[in-house]
Amino acid sequence: MPPVRNIVPGQSAKFSFTPFELRVLAGILDVPPNNAYWVDSADANAGDQPNRGTRDQPFSTINWAMSNANSPLTASRGDVLLVGPRHVETITVAGGTALTRAGASVVGLAYGDLRPTITLTTATTATLLVNGANILLTNFNITLNGIDALAGPLAVQAAGFRFLNNRVLCADVTNQATLAMLTTAAADRLTVKGNVFTGSADAGMTAAIRLVGGAEIEIEDNLFIGAYGSGNGAIENITTAVAWLTIHRNRINNLTAANTKAITAVAGTTGIISENKMQILAGVAPITAAGMSWVGQNYYANAVATAGTLI
């Protein structure tokens, strides 16, 4: 069957759009979608075959639609994958879901807890792999506490990835991901914006985002709550410098007792850190980033219920 074209609000009861969903489609996509396809694992008519992907016969998995050679999605055409609110995708191995089709947008429908869910579990090496360029993933609930010590579950290994308006559950009393997002030097022009990375105060996380190289990376308007490493912080750059990193308007709460850091970067990394609000529990230097410009309005507090200090 041909792909769905000319998306019409309320076209069927099964996938009618709420006002929020319409704002997501209008505000997130840079251009009208060339071809739109559907995914909903809860639909009895779902299946991973080339003739699926319509509203009435959706695909079963994001992975098949985005990475199978027989999928009708076409690289660099601006295709959109609309994912139903009931959809659940479980990843148990490295690359268990691979976002391969360059230029595609994967858009979750509904709001809050009703958004589609991606769960990583079973193996500490399980990953949602981004290996296609210029891909968007937006409006999902992503759970990383299905197994302890996930090593780098959101694996970004291609340029131009946009990770927008998602909620990432990183830790609970039993299981804590070591990292949430791990990049390689290929992750140029990564944008991480408007997300919530949240977890418990239980020790086990090192950082929410670990950057290893890349250029023109933007981390903006996110909320980070978790028990990150005392010398690491929520946002960490190690090993390889980033050429022009922007860390802007984030709120960071490091719950680890006696922690001293919210943001760390290697000395060779360049860029701007501005307008961030940071809670640490010890020390007076929440940022380590000798090569970056701290251009102002960064505040931190080193004890709960104390006024922020400008740095």
Side-chain angles (χ1 to χ4, degrees), residues 273-276 278 294-300 309-311:
I273 301 174
S274 62
E275 298 183 46
N276 298 283
M278 299 163 285
W294 306 359
V295 295
Q297 299 185 46
N298 293 294
Y299 284 86
Y300 82 98
T309 299
L310 177 64
I311 57 173

Side-chain angles (χ1 to χ4, degrees), residues 200-283:
S200 66
D202 301 282
M205 288 199 76
T206 301
I209 298 175
R210 174 177 286 175
L211 305 173
V212 184
E216 300 177 35
I217 293 174
E218 300 181 17
I219 303 174
E220 298 183 337
D221 299 313
N222 303 286
L223 172 61
F224 298 92
I225 303 172
Y228 310 115
S230 61
N232 305 92
I235 303 167
E236 177 188 50
N237 161 227
I238 67 167
T239 309
T240 305
V242 178
W244 200 259
L245 168 63
T246 298
I247 302 175
H248 184 51
R249 289 196 308 262
N250 299 284
R251 293 159 292 158
I252 299 171
N253 189 354
N254 191 340
L255 301 174
T256 300
N259 74 75
T260 62
K261 295 298 175 184
I263 299 167
T264 61
V266 299
T269 289
T270 59
I272 286 177
I273 301 174
S274 62
E275 298 183 46
N276 298 283
K277 308 298 187 287
M278 299 163 285
Q279 174 74 67
I280 57 175
L281 295 178

